[in-house]
Amino acid sequence: MTDRIYAALTLAALFAAVLPIHWLSYQRYKIVKRHGGLGKFARVGHAWVVSVDWESNQLTRDFVIDWKLHIPGYSIIAYGLALVFGTIFAAMAYYRH
């Protein structure tokens, strides 16, 4: 039974660390899509990974403001949640094993 609990807590730690990062990628995708940048100045890869061509002359002022205003805050939230919950579940798994 202890091995199952350890496996579940380890999986929860991985999930808790990856989910906020995935959410951050989705927020980047939403901002690019909202400003009509898909295919013009931004490309979207697997799992909403967005690459923006910052040298493009098709960037709008509203997009740049929206990106620079929201993405740093979203990054702090996502990486903070990943760190806190990933650490909690990993510690629980370590001490349960």
Side-chain angles (χ1 to χ4, degrees):
M1 186 65 166
T2 307
D3 290 337
R4 288 183 186 169
I5 293 171
Y6 176 72
L9 289 173
T10 303
L11 186 61
L14 291 172
F15 185 72
V18 169
L19 187 64
I21 308 305
H22 191 67
W23 173 80
L24 177 62
S25 294
Y26 178 67
Q27 294 304 318
R28 289 176 177 166
Y29 167 78
K30 276 184 23 181
I31 289 174
V32 168
K33 187 176 178 184
R34 184 178 333 140
H35 293 282
L38 295 177
K40 287 199 279 185
F41 58 82
R43 303 281 183 264
V44 178
H46 177 68
W48 297 310
V49 175
V50 175
S51 60
V52 176
D53 180 16
W54 292 104
E55 302 297 322
S56 174
N57 59 358
Q58 296 181 358
L59 289 174
T60 63
R61 183 175 185 268
D62 293 333
F63 169 75
V64 174
I65 290 171
D66 200 15
W67 185 276
K68 296 206 182 260
L69 185 66
H70 290 104
I71 293 303
Y74 290 155
S75 298
I76 291 170
I77 292 169
Y79 289 114
L81 287 174
L83 181 66
V84 168
F85 287 109
T87 303
I88 288 170
F89 284 117
M92 288 170 57
Y94 178 77
Y95 286 113
R96 290 287 294 186
H97 193 57

